[in-house]
Every structure is written in C-alpha cells, then in structure tokens.
Amino acid sequence: MKKLITTTAIGLMLALPAHAEDKANANATAEANANASANMSGDMFMKSIPDSFNASGLMGKRVYISKDKVDAKTAINEAQDNWDDVGEVSDVVIGTNGEVDAVLVDVGGFLGIGEKTVAISMDSLNLIPDGDTDNSYFVVAQGSKDQLDQAPKYDAEMQTAFSADANGDMNGNGEDMQNADASQKMDEAGDNAEAAATATAAAAGAAANEAADKTAQAADNAGEAMDNAAENTADAAQNAAQETEQAMNNAGDKTEEMAKDAAQNTKEAANATGQAVENAADNAGEATKEAANETGNAIDDAVDSTAAAVGTMGQADQEDGQKVDIASVAPDTLRGEGVYGPNDDKVGDVSELVQGNDGKVSGVVIDVGGFLGIGAKPVEIKASELTVLQNDTSITVHTGLTEEQLKKLPKYEAK
C-alpha cells in the first residue's frame, strides 16, 4: 500500500531595505510569514484522532454477514447466532484522495485453499463495539452468503493510482517496461499457482464430501455407532503415538524427523475427520452433534498425546539443556516453539514476543488450549517467569504454571 503525501514549501522572499523607513515593513513581513508557517505546521500534525481506528487493527479481523439489520451503536459481548462467519480482512484499499474505498475480504475455500478475494465498500461494513474488550469491534455486513458467492473476484490489476498517463507514456520509460514484464511474469506465476490451488481444493473438497457422506450415514444409523467410532479413533491415535515414541527410541535424528512427519500426518488426518464429523453433526441434529463433540474430544486428546510424545523427545531439559537469556534468542526461532509446564507436559505454544519501551523482551505470548490450534487463548507471561533451555538440536521454553493455571489468566490483547 502506498501513501502519497504532497508537501508544499513556502518560499520567504524578504527585500533588503534601501532606506531606513523600509526596515519596519520588512520586519512586519517576516513576522506574518512566520505566523503562516506555524499555522501550516498546526494543520499538518495531529496528536490524536478521536473516533478512529488503524488499518493494521482491521487486518485479519473475521468478517460476518447478517441477513438482518444490525445496530452499530450498541456494544455486544460475542458474535450473534444469526451471523455467518464468511472470511477475514486481508487488505485495505485507499484512494488517491486518502479515503478508504474498500476492504478486501478472503472468503470461501477449503482449509485456506482456493479462497476468493472480494472488495466490500467501507460504507457497507458495520463496526460493532466488543463489550468484553476495549478498542475492539466486530466487522459485520448486511447481506447473504449467496451474494458473496456471486460477487466478482477483486482484480488488483485494475487499480490505476500509479499507472501510465492518458497518452500511454510510462514514468521511467525502459525501467517501467522491465517492471511491466516482471509484473506479467509474476501474474502468470500467480495464475498457475491459483490453478494448482483450485485443483488441490477440488480434490480435498471431494475427499471431504465423501467422508462427510459416510459419517452422516453412520450418524443416521445410531449414536452408538458414533461412540464406537470415537473409541476406535482414540485407540488408533494412541497406538500411533506409542509406535512413534518406540521408533524415536530406536533411532537418532533421522527417526526424530520421521516421528515429526508422522505427528503432522496424524494432525492432518484428525483435522479431516473432525471436519467430516462436524458436517455430519450439522445434518443429523442435536444428538449427532453431541456424539461429534465426543469424537472431536477423543481426537484432540489423541493428537495432544502424539504431539506431547514427539515434543518431549526433542525438547531441551535440565539434564542436557543450557539456560540462555530469552533476549539473546531470535524471535523467529522462538515463535511456534512449545511451552512446557512443571511436569514437562506441553501447555501451549509461543506465538509472539512482547517488547517494553526500552526495546527489550519483557514477556512472551503463549497460545493455550484450542482444538488442533483453533480457538486457542493467548496469554502473556513475563520473561522473568520463564526458563529457556537450549541444546545442540532444540530450544524449549519452560514455565512453572500448569495448563489450567494459564487458562485462568486474562486474554492477551495487543496494545
């Protein structure tokens, strides 16, 4: 996103006096020009802007659509049941006049693949205050999912803020032509990538539909069949975790890498199964939903067991790990690393590092709970309350708090 700021310099031309009586006029002119400059500076810079928000705060926000009219002045504590979660904000389009023309929203797709980006005018969005969190809001548009499905895909190539002039002359001549060729190649690569993503999404969608049909048929037969499926899934996941742990005990680094791949495959399979169970629950009624929740819980426990087995084998502990200062570790290295509790069980993952006014690391944001990484609660732990251990192959973060204690901490909100 580019912002064009035009700065106008006021030239001060003061004539040298030829006679003594001209000196007073020259001083008056200088004083007037100084006052004009001060007024310009007052208009240019602002200490604060009430009733406003930052575009960065809008990025990544979930977008809801409601067939009913919404009240943007009344605060609410959670998303309403009649709202449909349709996507998230990916960008903000600003016109050359400095006003927000539209908000880009990624909608549709399957597991993040094959999404379509649509542009929704800012006037069509309602920012409803979040009653639980200060300076937070829900983004809601009035309409239906059918309108989004029929909405045209946003074409960024049609933006003209910095294109050629009316005569077709390009700024920079040869350099712009080279940029145009590079842009065309990038567009071609993007089209190829999009086609591949669409094909992948179609294949994944077909597999999910087939799994959903089979799961729905089983749910229609009886809730007991769902319970048996949940137990079988839990047993299979537990057996996979035990086999993974045994394989890691029998080999070195190569076996550890294979175990991690196995854990990832287990998570992907669990994700697909969970999605299929959720679809079946929607079609089978409240009884099927309860059975699906039990299946999801069993899958979650099994995946956590597998992840814990893999994480424990690779983590730096008190015996072979060396304590290091958290400020000396690169943020990209810590992000995504597991956090372990007093019993060396995994209690969460590092998602962000918090810096104080002096630029030093003052704390760490840990994602706790959730299902397969979805719905986790972010909480902040002071850096002084954490221990970072590092050995030749890994780096891990340890805390004296259990998962239950972490869940009771207040939700972290970015400042």
Side-chain angles (χ1 to χ4, degrees), residues 27 29 52 60 110 122-123 126 136 162 170 186 233 258 268 270-271 280 318 328 333 340 361 374 381 383 392 396 401:
N27 291 335
T29 301
S52 64
F110 177 75
M122 193 62 193
D123 293 338
N126 297 282
S136 184
F162 304 101
M170 301 295 291
M186 291 178 65
T233 302
M258 294 174 61
E268 293 175 356
N271 191 22
Q318 297 290 347
S328 65
T333 301
Y340 299 87
V361 176
I374 300 174
I381 300 296
D392 294 337
T396 54
L401 300 178

Coordinates of all heavy atoms in Angstrom, one line a residue, residues 27 29 52 60 110 122-123 126 136 162 170 186 233 258 268 270-271 280 318 328 333 340 361 374 381 383 392 396 401:
N27 N 10.3 43.8 8.7 CA 10.1 43.1 9.9 C 8.7 42.6 10.0 O 8.4 41.5 10.5 CB 10.5 43.9 11.2 CG 12.0 44.2 11.3 OD1 12.8 43.4 10.8 ND2 12.3 45.3 11.9
T29 N 6.7 41.9 7.6 CA 6.5 40.8 6.6 C 7.1 39.5 7.1 O 6.5 38.4 7.0 CB 7.2 41.2 5.3 OG1 6.7 42.4 4.8 CG2 7.0 40.0 4.2
S52 N -11.6 6.9 15.7 CA -10.9 6.4 14.5 C -10.3 5.1 14.9 O -10.3 4.6 16.0 CB -9.8 7.4 14.1 OG -8.8 7.5 15.1
G60 N -6.9 -9.0 9.3 CA -7.0 -10.3 9.9 C -8.3 -10.4 10.7 O -8.6 -11.5 11.3
F110 N -11.3 -24.1 1.1 CA -11.3 -25.2 2.0 C -10.0 -25.3 2.7 O -8.9 -25.5 2.0 CB -11.6 -26.5 1.2 CG -11.6 -27.8 2.0 CD1 -12.7 -28.0 2.9 CD2 -10.5 -28.6 2.0 CE1 -12.6 -29.2 3.6 CE2 -10.5 -29.8 2.7 CZ -11.6 -30.1 3.6
M122 N -16.5 0.3 2.2 CA -16.4 0.6 3.7 C -17.8 1.0 4.2 O -18.1 0.8 5.3 CB -15.4 1.8 3.9 CG -15.0 1.9 5.3 SD -14.2 0.5 6.0 CE -14.2 0.8 7.8
D123 N -18.6 1.7 3.3 CA -19.9 2.1 3.8 C -20.8 0.9 4.1 O -21.8 1.1 4.8 CB -20.5 3.0 2.7 CG -19.8 4.3 2.5 OD1 -19.1 4.7 3.5 OD2 -19.9 5.0 1.5
N126 N -20.3 -2.6 9.1 CA -20.7 -2.0 10.4 C -19.7 -2.5 11.4 O -19.4 -3.7 11.5 CB -22.1 -2.5 10.8 CG -23.2 -2.1 9.9 OD1 -23.6 -1.0 9.9 ND2 -23.6 -3.0 9.0
S136 N -12.0 -2.7 20.6 CA -12.1 -3.9 19.8 C -13.6 -3.9 19.2 O -14.5 -3.3 19.8 CB -11.8 -5.2 20.5 OG -11.9 -6.3 19.6
F162 N -1.3 4.4 -9.7 CA 0.1 4.7 -10.1 C 0.4 4.1 -11.5 O 1.4 3.6 -11.8 CB 1.1 4.1 -9.1 CG 0.9 4.6 -7.7 CD1 0.2 3.8 -6.8 CD2 1.3 5.9 -7.4 CE1 0.0 4.3 -5.5 CE2 1.1 6.4 -6.1 CZ 0.4 5.6 -5.2
M170 N 5.0 5.8 -20.1 CA 5.2 5.2 -18.8 C 6.3 6.0 -18.1 O 7.3 6.4 -18.7 CB 5.7 3.8 -18.9 CG 4.7 2.8 -19.5 SD 3.2 2.6 -18.6 CE 3.9 1.7 -17.2
M186 N 5.0 -12.4 -13.0 CA 4.5 -12.7 -11.7 C 3.0 -13.0 -11.8 O 2.5 -13.9 -11.1 CB 4.7 -11.5 -10.8 CG 6.2 -11.3 -10.4 SD 6.4 -9.8 -9.4 CE 5.5 -10.4 -7.9
T233 N -11.1 -44.4 17.0 CA -10.2 -43.4 16.5 C -9.2 -43.1 17.6 O -8.0 -42.9 17.4 CB -11.0 -42.1 16.2 OG1 -12.0 -42.4 15.2 CG2 -10.1 -41.0 15.7
M258 N 11.3 -38.3 11.2 CA 10.2 -39.2 10.7 C 9.0 -39.1 11.7 O 7.9 -39.1 11.3 CB 10.7 -40.6 10.5 CG 11.7 -40.8 9.4 SD 12.4 -42.5 9.4 CE 10.9 -43.4 9.0
E268 N -3.2 -33.9 10.4 CA -4.0 -33.6 9.2 C -5.2 -34.6 9.0 O -6.3 -34.2 8.7 CB -3.1 -33.7 7.9 CG -2.0 -32.6 7.9 CD -1.1 -32.8 6.7 OE1 -1.2 -33.8 6.0 OE2 -0.2 -31.9 6.5
A270 N -6.6 -36.1 11.5 CA -7.6 -35.7 12.6 C -8.4 -34.5 12.2 O -9.6 -34.4 12.4 CB -6.9 -35.5 13.9
N271 N -7.8 -33.6 11.5 CA -8.5 -32.4 11.0 C -9.5 -32.7 10.0 O -10.7 -32.2 10.1 CB -7.4 -31.4 10.4 CG -8.1 -30.0 10.1 OD1 -9.1 -29.7 10.8 ND2 -7.5 -29.3 9.3
A280 N -21.4 -33.9 9.5 CA -22.4 -34.9 9.8 C -23.3 -34.4 11.0 O -24.5 -34.6 11.0 CB -21.7 -36.2 10.2
Q318 N 16.5 -30.1 31.8 CA 17.5 -29.7 32.7 C 18.8 -30.4 32.6 O 19.9 -30.0 33.0 CB 16.9 -29.8 34.2 CG 15.7 -29.0 34.4 CD 16.0 -27.5 34.5 OE1 17.2 -27.2 34.6 NE2 15.0 -26.6 34.4
S328 N 18.5 -13.1 24.0 CA 19.5 -13.5 23.1 C 19.0 -14.4 22.0 O 19.8 -14.7 21.0 CB 20.7 -14.2 23.8 OG 20.2 -15.4 24.4
T333 N 13.0 -17.7 15.9 CA 13.3 -19.0 16.5 C 12.4 -19.5 17.5 O 12.0 -20.6 17.6 CB 14.8 -19.0 17.0 OG1 15.7 -18.6 16.0 CG2 15.2 -20.4 17.6
Y340 N 6.5 -25.8 28.1 CA 6.3 -27.0 28.9 C 6.1 -26.6 30.4 O 6.7 -25.7 30.9 CB 7.5 -27.9 28.7 CG 7.6 -28.4 27.3 CD1 8.3 -27.7 26.4 CD2 6.9 -29.6 26.9 CE1 8.4 -28.1 25.1 CE2 7.0 -30.0 25.6 CZ 7.8 -29.3 24.7 OH 7.9 -29.7 23.4
V361 N 13.0 -7.6 25.4 CA 11.9 -8.5 25.6 C 11.4 -8.5 27.0 O 12.1 -8.8 27.9 CB 12.3 -9.9 25.2 CG1 11.2 -10.9 25.4 CG2 12.7 -10.0 23.7
I374 N -6.9 -24.4 16.8 CA -8.0 -23.4 16.5 C -8.7 -23.1 17.9 O -9.0 -24.0 18.6 CB -9.0 -24.0 15.5 CG1 -8.3 -24.3 14.2 CG2 -10.2 -23.0 15.3 CD1 -9.2 -25.0 13.2
I381 N 3.0 -14.0 29.6 CA 3.9 -14.4 30.7 C 5.1 -13.5 30.7 O 5.7 -13.3 29.7 CB 4.3 -15.9 30.7 CG1 3.0 -16.8 30.7 CG2 5.1 -16.2 31.9 CD1 2.2 -16.7 31.9
A383 N 8.9 -12.3 31.0 CA 10.1 -13.0 30.6 C 10.8 -13.6 31.9 O 11.5 -14.6 31.8 CB 11.0 -12.1 29.8
D392 N 22.0 -29.0 21.6 CA 22.6 -29.0 20.2 C 21.5 -29.0 19.2 O 21.7 -28.6 18.0 CB 23.5 -30.2 20.0 CG 24.8 -30.0 20.9 OD1 25.1 -28.9 21.3 OD2 25.4 -31.0 21.2
T396 N 13.8 -24.9 24.0 CA 12.4 -25.0 24.6 C 12.2 -24.0 25.7 O 13.2 -23.5 26.3 CB 12.2 -26.4 25.1 OG1 13.2 -26.7 26.1 CG2 12.1 -27.5 24.0
L401 N 3.8 -22.8 35.6 CA 2.4 -22.8 35.6 C 1.8 -24.0 34.8 O 2.4 -24.4 33.8 CB 1.8 -21.5 35.0 CG 2.2 -20.2 35.8 CD1 1.6 -19.0 35.0 CD2 1.7 -20.3 37.2

